[in-house]
Amino acid sequence: MEPIKKKSRFVWWSVPLIAVLAFTLYGCPSQQNLSSSGDAAQKVYVAPGEHDEFYGMFSGGYSGQMTVYGLPSGRHLYTIPVFSQAPVSGYGYSEETKPMLQTTHGFIPWDDAHHPEMSQTDGVPDGRWIFINANNTPRVARIDFSNFQTAEIIEIPNSAGNHASPFVTTNTEYISAATRFSIPLDEESLENQDVAISSYAENFKGTLSFIKIGDEGEMNIDFQILVPGFNYDLSHAGKGPSADWSFFTSYNTEEAHTLLERNASRNDKDFIAAVNWKKAAELVAEGAGREIDAPHYRNYMDHDEQRAKSELIETVKVIDPIENPGIIYYLPTPKSPHGVDVDPTGRYIVGGGKLSSVLPVHSFEKMIEAIENEDFEGEVDGIPVLNYDSVIHAEVENAGIGTLHTEFDGNGYAYTTAFISSEIVKWSLETFEVVDRIDTYYSPGHLMIPGGDSMQPEGKYLVALNKITKDRYLPTGPELFHSAQLIDISGDKMELLLDFPTDGEPHYAQGIAADIVKERQIKFYALEDNNHPDAVKSEAETRVERNGDEVHVYMTTIRSHFAPDNIEGLRVGDKVYFHVTNLEQDWDVPHGFAVLGARTSELLVMPGETRTILWEPQKPRVFPFYCTDFCSALHQEMQGYARVSPAGSDTPISFGTGE
Ligand code: RUQ
Ligand code: CUA
């Protein structure tokens, strides 16, 4: 058998010392750790008609969506449209969902979504909502678990590369969201962004945003903390004793603005920022900080009217650590750390020391002690830097090369991904020694244990989210789907059970016991609660109305016909709005609506729901329309015709179902 070569795509793999170290320590990976394939198959077998034990919620990365998998089977259950338009349902194309993608940069139909994060109660995922970040045009979305649909998207001003986002506090009081790229922020007006890039050190700043979550899940930016112009990479909130704190990794404390692979890899230590969000929130409530102009959109689904609305918020509250001492401290951390993860007891803060030979573990208790004793080794822009030796609790040796992310099993062990040495390393939270390791195929980024970043992990399975697929599946040309690997962590030795392909690039994922989410499901929308202004609740109300060159078609669907299904009197140059209400009151009976020459998408209308698509016919002719979702034995009969006459013609509006 040919040995598997681990090849680098990133230049920092070639940092010479690391490369030599990696090779001498690890060489090539051994054979897969499979006890027997029969055993493994049985462990992931979910018999036809049976349900998986866990929901796995995966980010879609550059697809901008979220995907839902069943675990342990690895079956792809659903794709939730979030930041990207989805022709499959009309999300982002229909008039009801377009406002969801509104930003101050205009209508943005795409993004790069990295980190799903579930709402928590008392530090445990509660199955209400799941949040996810948009990295490119900074936004955070909230998805409702009752219907697996995007319920809200808030834009984050004063941010660029919303990567350290969105991480919840233990009772979902706040979501943190830091900017990865620092940007010019003029201290006075925060407005002058047109500056020379070479003035980075002087003019560029970072922001750590805290989004307050209301009882119904509504998101509002409560405050932003102004921080030095480093890159803020990832975050996690504390828990238990550390629940009032949030932690953020930073790299590029060198404040380089070019060739970061080299220029931001010089310092032996960068920082984890520890933020006392509770204290900051109290100060803000007492009037600290100042309100600055920072227009940003909040888009939300109005459930009553079944359509999204956009509101423009003009300002945001900014607080400066210099004027508000005690809200933020820096913990020196080797070296360009990526992930930051807090163990289930809330006592340990693990930095993913990407370029470090050891995995640093800070102690929360020691951190508090060092703060009380003012045990500082310096300060940066008014932020005290704690003494490394005073806060570090352990340095895990041999934890792999290129360590990125850590999750926990709730049984006293931590699991860390090592990108370069392509493995998952299990270590003890008591001895801080490595107790097991398993190869992954290839180069894992994040990993996920259901509840693994909460106070109550379910330490049965681990999913490795690998960056490189290569030879794992039948080849599909130059592009291969990213590969996830399910690993059994219930015993002493980790055991690889299953590979399954994923969609887009799942960075992070979250898992939750299926029972918690199953209970909450809406099966259809009650027609009597549909207060959409363009809804029609019976065929008797269906009609076509002209208003200048706007035509509104109020249409219904029910197995297996449209009403009306013959429409005349449309003209070239018209803007035709089809408002389609699905009269069905039964689970899993959507109807589709597609019209020949439609330039955007179809509509997929759920039972009890109203959706609108704008159609601008380009030439005179008769255009068929039809239902796209095979809804009954007579689905093929579910069709109609729209007659379009030349511009200015006097064909009168008429419509009906043959009467
Ligand atoms: S970050 S692994 Cu967003 Cu680690 Cu991708
Ligand atoms: Cu309705 Cu097919």
Side-chain angles (χ1 to χ4, degrees), residues 348-376:
Y348 301 117
I349 303 136
V350 184
K354 200 167 67 192
L355 302 181
S356 158
S357 59
V358 294
L359 186 70
V361 182
H362 296 295
S363 152
F364 178 72
E365 213 173 300
K366 289 185 180 177
M367 180 190 101
I368 293 299
E369 220 175 276
I371 291 171
E372 278 165 5
N373 298 335
E374 301 197 1
D375 188 356
F376 306 145

Side-chain angles (χ1 to χ4, degrees), residues 38-100:
D39 268 13
Q42 219 168 42
K43 286 185 179 168
V44 302
Y45 182 68
V46 177
E50 304 270 290
H51 291 172
D52 278 288
E53 190 180 346
F54 295 98
Y55 281 98
M57 309 295 293
F58 288 49
S59 91
Y62 36 65
S63 85
Q65 316 295 41
M66 196 183 287
T67 51
V68 186
Y69 287 82
L71 299 175
S73 73
R75 298 187 292 202
H76 180 194
L77 304 177
Y78 192 59
T79 298
I80 305 170
V82 187
F83 296 113
S84 297
Q85 286 175 301
V88 65
S89 62
Y91 177 85
Y93 294 104
S94 68
E95 297 303 304
E96 288 77 8
T97 53
K98 270 197 222 164
M100 271 297 179

Side-chain angles (χ1 to χ4, degrees), residues 23-46:
F23 200 75
T24 42
L25 279 179
Y26 299 97
C28 288
S30 53
Q31 287 294 303
Q32 298 186 13
N33 215 344
L34 271 185
S35 52
S36 92
S37 43
D39 268 13
Q42 219 168 42
K43 286 185 179 168
V44 302
Y45 182 68
V46 177

Side-chain angles (χ1 to χ4, degrees), residues 557-562 584 589-592 626-632 634-636 638:
T557 60
I558 195 153
R559 279 163 288 184
S560 294
H561 64 277
F562 294 97
E584 304 282 354
V589 196
H591 291 287
Y626 73 104
C627 170
T628 51
D629 188 309
F630 208 107
C631 49
S632 74
L634 296 174
H635 153 82
Q636 288 298 81
M638 193 163 174

Side-chain angles (χ1 to χ4, degrees), residues 30-325:
S30 53
Q31 287 294 303
Q32 298 186 13
N33 215 344
L34 271 185
S35 52
S36 92
S37 43
D39 268 13
Q42 219 168 42
K43 286 185 179 168
V44 302
Y45 182 68
V46 177
E50 304 270 290
H51 291 172
D52 278 288
E53 190 180 346
F54 295 98
Y55 281 98
M57 309 295 293
F58 288 49
S59 91
Y62 36 65
S63 85
Q65 316 295 41
M66 196 183 287
T67 51
V68 186
Y69 287 82
L71 299 175
S73 73
R75 298 187 292 202
H76 180 194
L77 304 177
Y78 192 59
T79 298
I80 305 170
V82 187
F83 296 113
S84 297
Q85 286 175 301
V88 65
S89 62
Y91 177 85
Y93 294 104
S94 68
E95 297 303 304
E96 288 77 8
T97 53
K98 270 197 222 164
M100 271 297 179
L101 304 179
Q102 193 55 251
T103 77
T104 52
H105 302 268
F107 178 81
I108 304 283
W110 166 85
D111 220 299
D112 180 21
H114 281 216
H115 312 123
E117 172 93 342
M118 287 186 285
S119 57
Q120 297 187 359
T121 302
D122 298 329
V124 181
D126 56 24
R128 284 181 295 166
W129 314 298
I130 183 159
F131 303 89
I132 189 164
N133 66 321
N135 205 29
N136 191 53
T137 302
R139 289 172 281 176
V140 170
R142 176 172 58 87
I143 286 135
D144 201 319
F145 264 127
S146 68
N147 62 0
F148 282 72
Q149 297 298 306
T150 302
E152 185 175 354
I153 295 181
I154 191 166
E155 191 181 3
I156 307 185
N158 301 324
S159 175
N162 173 43
H163 191 254
S165 166
F167 294 93
V168 296
T169 56
T170 50
N171 281 298
T172 321
E173 297 96 335
Y174 282 96
I175 274 179
S176 60
T179 184
R180 170 164 152 221
F181 309 118
S182 282
I183 44 171
L185 286 175
D186 181 305
E187 283 269 3
E188 289 311 308
S189 61
L190 291 169
E191 252 164 24
N192 181 17
Q193 305 218 350
D194 176 21
V195 300
I197 298 167
S198 58
S199 72
Y200 188 104
E202 183 189 327
N203 287 325
F204 286 48
K205 290 235 160 240
T207 53
L208 313 179
S209 303
F210 284 82
I211 303 169
K212 197 164 178 60
I213 308 300
D215 292 343
E216 302 298 313
E218 330 77 271
M219 300 187 282
N220 274 294
I221 300 172
D222 197 24
F223 58 92
Q224 297 186 312
I225 304 176
L226 269 186
V227 285
F230 310 152
N231 288 43
Y232 294 86
D233 206 8
L234 278 160
S235 174
H236 258 109
K239 33 181 95 96
S242 56
D244 296 350
W245 294 73
S246 281
F247 303 92
F248 299 84
T249 44
S250 71
Y251 63 102
N252 193 23
T253 51
E254 296 86 348
E255 302 192 76
H257 54 83
T258 177
L259 290 180
L260 265 64
E261 59 180 323
R262 185 181 70 222
N263 294 332
S265 303
R266 294 186 206 272
N267 291 348
D268 272 344
K269 293 194 178 67
D270 298 274
F271 299 123
I272 286 176
V275 174
N276 188 335
W277 60 262
K278 191 71 163 282
K279 181 162 183 178
E282 281 163 10
L283 290 172
V284 166
E286 288 160 13
R290 65 213 152 90
E291 207 80 22
I292 58 156
D293 285 343
H296 59 283
Y297 275 97
R298 185 176 90 90
N299 311 315
Y300 62 96
M301 218 4 117
D302 180 322
H303 288 292
D304 186 43
E305 295 188 5
Q306 293 198 353
R307 49 181 190 165
K309 295 185 173 165
S310 291
E311 86 191 13
L312 183 64
I313 302 164
E314 297 288 353
T315 61
V316 80
K317 185 68 111 20
V318 168
I319 55 173
D320 195 324
I322 299 183
E323 293 152 21
N324 298 279

